[in-house]
Amino acid sequence: MKRSQMILLFVVTLVVARVSPAAEKLVKIRVGYGTPAATQVAPRAIKDFKIFERNGLDAEFLLAGSTLVAQAFLAGEIPLALMTGGLAAAPYLQGSDIVMLAGVVNTIPYHFMVRPNIEKPSDLRGKVVGVSRIGSGSDRGLRFSLVKLGLNPDRDTTILQVGGESERLAALLSGRIDGTVITPPLTSKARGAGMKTLADLGEQGIAYQHTGIVTSKEFIRRSEPVVRAFVKAFVDGIHYMKTHKSETLPVIRKLLREDDPTLVEEAYEVYVVRYLEKKPYPNLEGMKAVFDELASRNPKAKTMDPAGLLDTRFIKELDASGYIDSLYK
């Protein structure tokens, strides 16, 4: 390790130690997240493994709908949140000081699932498709999917607000909707009931900032050591999940309320092995894709710089110091 890297690693460790249990009482922090889906498993697992506590934090996770989480964050009720790129970009374009610290899922994890009578994308014209809420991650993902499939979301389909992934799957199976976007392992349940995958966007590896960890510049100014400790805990947790599969599977089972071990295993392979990155930088190309998707409805997305929404300094500190690489040796 180079001398400069050793010095930076020492600085990172020293700053985090200022909010460590050995230094003082745990710092309470509230974190919002939108849905008990596999895309949210990393922070919840990190809490269950007591990794936040080892970094000096007492993290309280608050579950609400994704748009409600965004509203609570913007109202200052929660300082940190898991948020989709689309939900984060909207207030940024309006002048909010929101920033994304880390990427959780840097691609579109959705499968576009349809009823058995849908043979090709054009069969969706005039049909009803479902999302959780307008403006949510599922709405962004569905619109992006439809465009990729050669359809105009607003002209060719009717978009219905249905609810979370379980509710969307139930609506699809009952015939209330003709298509929706869901993530593994619910995709296996859908196929088992005769539904079809029209497109697997996650398999295509499309750069798209689906989910990330956000905070505000003001909170960083007030509580930078806390933010630094939170990001380090996130990095530590990713390492633990990737190297402790047997311990992670029960956490996934609890979060998803899923007893089928095959489906829990699938969720682990998709979200921990494939999507979670050892160095969880938010993805600039993925955020550019979010801005491109927003541009048709918000002209500011054509002129504002997506890089201004990303604050990668805390990940960079850990990376440049050699800390992240050292975890996997």
Side-chain angles (χ1 to χ4, degrees):
M1 183 182 294
K2 296 180 180 178
R3 178 177 175 81
S4 60
Q5 290 179 315
M6 293 178 65
I7 293 173
L8 184 52
L9 178 58
F10 173 76
V11 172
V12 169
T13 305
L14 180 63
V15 173
V16 171
R18 292 176 184 170
V19 292
S20 70
E24 58 184 77
K25 185 179 178 180
L26 295 179
V27 177
K28 292 185 178 294
I29 191 76
R30 305 176 83 201
V31 186
Y33 71 107
T35 178
T39 51
Q40 317 283 325
V41 70
R44 294 307 311 269
I46 296 168
K47 178 173 176 61
D48 281 15
F49 297 143
K50 306 297 182 183
I51 294 172
F52 284 116
E53 285 83 349
R54 292 202 289 273
N55 283 276
L57 303 177
D58 177 9
E60 177 188 5
F61 281 80
L62 306 173
L63 172 63
S66 55
T67 52
L68 294 178
V69 167
Q71 291 169 8
F73 173 83
L74 293 172
E77 296 172 4
I78 50 176
L80 288 148
L82 272 77
M83 199 177 294
T84 63
L87 283 176
Y92 169 75
L93 294 173
Q94 298 302 318
S96 169
D97 70 344
I98 186 172
V99 287
M100 185 170 286
L101 303 168
V104 179
V105 178
N106 292 347
T107 188
I108 299 179
Y110 290 119
H111 290 223
F112 200 118
M113 306 294 296
V114 294
R115 300 275 307 161
N117 61 306
I118 305 296
E119 298 288 344
K120 54 189 182 299
S122 59
D123 292 340
L124 281 172
R125 287 194 172 93
K127 298 294 195 297
V128 178
V129 291
V131 300
S132 59
R133 294 189 184 194
I134 301 300
S136 67
S138 62
D139 180 44
R140 304 284 186 204
L142 180 134
R143 291 175 182 274
F144 193 92
S145 301
L146 287 170
V147 171
K148 283 286 183 181
L149 293 170
L151 299 171
N152 182 299
D154 298 309
R155 186 177 63 241
D156 294 329
T157 64
T158 298
I159 299 177
L160 184 67
Q161 297 184 124
V162 177
E165 291 205 60
S166 296
E167 289 80 7
R168 298 202 301 277
L169 176 58
L172 183 66
L173 298 183
S174 70
R176 183 183 173 199
I177 59 176
D178 299 287
T180 190
V181 287
I182 55 177
T183 59
L186 285 185
T187 48
S188 294
K189 289 187 174 182
R191 285 191 294 270
M195 303 299 109
K196 298 177 181 178
T197 297
L198 198 61
D200 178 355
L201 284 95
E203 191 67 33
Q204 296 173 24
I206 299 168
Y208 190 86
Q209 192 63 61
H210 181 269
T211 313
I213 297 171
V214 302
T215 189
S216 65
K217 292 179 181 178
E218 173 60 25
F219 185 71
I220 294 174
R221 282 192 291 269
R222 289 189 288 108
S223 305
E224 185 169 319
V226 173
V227 175
R228 181 170 282 108
F230 188 93
V231 173
K232 180 177 176 294
F234 185 59
V235 167
D236 290 346
I238 290 174
H239 167 256
Y240 190 90
M241 294 174 70
K242 285 183 175 291
T243 57
H244 293 77
K245 179 178 179 178
S246 60
E247 291 87 351
T248 303
L249 291 176
V251 177
I252 295 175
R253 183 172 64 247
K254 181 174 67 174
L255 177 67
L256 300 183
R257 298 178 182 177
E258 178 56 66
D259 294 325
D260 187 330
T262 302
L263 299 184
V264 174
E265 177 95 15
E266 180 183 357
Y268 179 88
E269 292 299 323
V270 170
Y271 293 101
V272 179
V273 176
R274 188 197 303 178
Y275 290 155
L276 268 184
E277 299 179 10
K278 294 177 181 178
K279 299 178 180 181
Y281 287 97
N283 187 292
L284 179 56
E285 289 304 312
M287 192 57 76
K288 287 179 180 177
V290 171
F291 275 49
D292 289 343
E293 191 269 330
L294 289 171
S296 63
R297 300 186 297 282
N298 189 335
K300 292 183 179 179
K302 299 178 182 179
T303 58
M304 292 185 67
D305 184 4
L309 180 52
L310 309 182
D311 188 343
T312 61
R313 77 181 101 160
F314 303 103
I315 297 290
K316 282 182 178 177
E317 284 179 357
L318 295 168
D319 191 5
S321 71
Y323 178 77
I324 301 177
D325 289 332
S326 72
L327 291 174
Y328 294 90
K329 290 180 179 179

